[in-house]
Amino acid sequence: MVSLHRFFVAHERIKDGYVIIEGDEAKHLSKVLRLGPGDEVLVCDGSGKELLVRLETAEKGLIKGRVVNQNHPEREPGLTVGLVQGVGKGEKMDFIVQKAVELGISRIYPVMTDRGTVRLDGERAFHRVQRWQKIAKEACKQCGRTVVPEIKGIRDLTVVMDECRDIPGLFFYEGEWKRPLKTILRENARILRDRGVILYIGAEGGFSLREAETARKRGILMAGLGPRILRTETAALAAITAVMYELGDLGGN
């Protein structure tokens, strides 16, 4: 069976059984993929719905298609997992965003941390977040997800801690590995499944003692990922995988 190409379209562009594809998605569809009238594609509206669409017309950068079928595939995780990630050097954040989306992350909060060496603000920060959001969308297309996780604006760690104060958190900090992560997850399984969980991962060098103490005071659970020192991108994906395996849809329980 031929795998159909997947596109994301705003809900308001789907009306009366027809879909309008425009902008970068339309350009990619027609110029890169060379698709046109008669071809079929999959369209997601961001709510979890997946539409089978047969293309009918293409003109002036707008592609119109008719909805042939629709369904709600179960590809979104039942467990809501957010990632607070210290912004790292180079393309590390690109990699983390892409793989975190594939693993089922629900939202990503890029943050500035004490030990982080990357400092982004203003226009540079805005464009970097836009880039990560695009990477998230492309990752969703590749792995078959129907909802694109939101990439929040870059802020200070403590600001995000306050914003997420009503959601249980796991703060991954050096020296906390002697109490197994599995034990922490199983002891708190019910509340984490009901309310979701926020994972806190530092940039290169991890979190500072000040940041760890701030997390403790806010009631965020301290956790570790074993006795070895992991790179920031390895730590992020290891944490997501462990939580999704134990409480989510990666084969746990």
Side-chain angles (χ1 to χ4, degrees):
M1 181 178 178
V2 177
S3 177
L4 297 178
H5 294 285
R6 182 182 305 273
F7 298 89
F8 285 86
V9 173
H11 178 73
E12 57 268 21
R13 305 304 281 163
I14 304 172
K15 186 176 180 181
D16 298 329
Y18 284 89
V19 174
I20 299 296
I21 303 174
E22 56 190 341
D24 290 341
E25 294 283 61
K27 183 178 179 180
H28 182 69
L29 188 155
S30 60
K31 302 296 184 182
V32 179
L33 300 177
R34 303 288 184 179
L35 299 177
D39 291 318
E40 293 183 341
V41 297
L42 294 175
V43 170
C44 301
D45 67 354
S47 68
K49 186 187 301 180
E50 184 178 80
L51 311 174
L52 175 63
V53 175
R54 182 171 295 124
L55 306 179
E56 292 192 347
T57 61
E59 54 185 34
K60 296 182 179 180
L62 295 178
I63 298 173
K64 185 176 182 179
R66 180 170 58 84
V67 177
V68 177
N69 191 17
Q70 67 177 22
N71 60 62
H72 289 78
E74 296 183 3
R75 299 198 191 101
E76 293 304 310
L79 178 69
T80 301
V81 182
L83 173 64
V84 175
Q85 174 66 47
V87 178
K89 299 177 183 177
E91 298 181 351
K92 290 182 180 180
M93 194 70 179
D94 295 2
F95 178 81
I96 292 170
V97 169
Q98 181 188 66
K99 301 309 176 186
V101 169
E102 291 178 20
L103 288 169
I105 207 75
S106 299
R107 186 175 287 111
I108 298 177
Y109 305 80
V111 293
M112 297 290 97
T113 59
D114 287 348
R115 293 179 178 173
T117 58
V118 177
R119 290 290 179 263
L120 297 169
D121 54 22
E123 190 172 340
R124 287 182 64 213
F126 173 79
H127 288 301
R128 194 67 63 88
V129 172
Q130 292 293 103
R131 171 185 172 83
W132 294 331
Q133 191 67 70
K134 184 175 181 180
I135 290 172
K137 179 189 285 189
E138 293 304 315
C140 285
K141 291 181 181 181
Q142 185 277 324
C143 70
R145 290 187 64 174
T146 54
V147 178
V148 181
E150 179 185 8
I151 312 299
K152 304 288 280 187
I154 301 172
R155 290 166 294 170
D156 184 76
L157 173 62
T158 54
V159 172
V160 175
M161 283 184 185
D162 289 338
E163 179 181 321
C164 299
R165 61 185 176 276
D166 295 328
I167 306 173
L170 292 175
F171 192 93
F172 290 88
Y173 185 62
E174 59 189 60
E176 296 291 338
W177 59 269
K178 293 183 180 180
R179 185 160 182 261
L181 177 59
K182 181 185 293 186
T183 300
I184 297 173
L185 293 175
R186 291 186 175 180
E187 288 178 351
N188 297 276
R190 179 174 295 180
I191 189 172
L192 298 182
R193 285 196 177 106
D194 289 345
R195 296 171 56 190
V197 60
I198 300 290
L199 310 180
Y200 293 83
I201 303 291
E204 296 89 352
F207 290 117
S208 68
L209 177 60
R210 181 193 72 85
E211 291 167 332
E213 290 305 316
T214 300
R216 289 183 202 273
K217 291 177 181 178
R218 283 165 167 74
I220 299 172
L221 296 172
M222 308 304 288
L225 289 166
R228 292 166 295 282
I229 297 175
L230 305 181
R231 293 178 181 272
T232 181
E233 63 271 33
T234 308
L237 303 185
I240 297 168
T241 302
V243 172
M244 281 294 188
Y245 177 82
E246 189 64 35
L247 303 176
D249 60 2
L250 291 184
N253 306 322

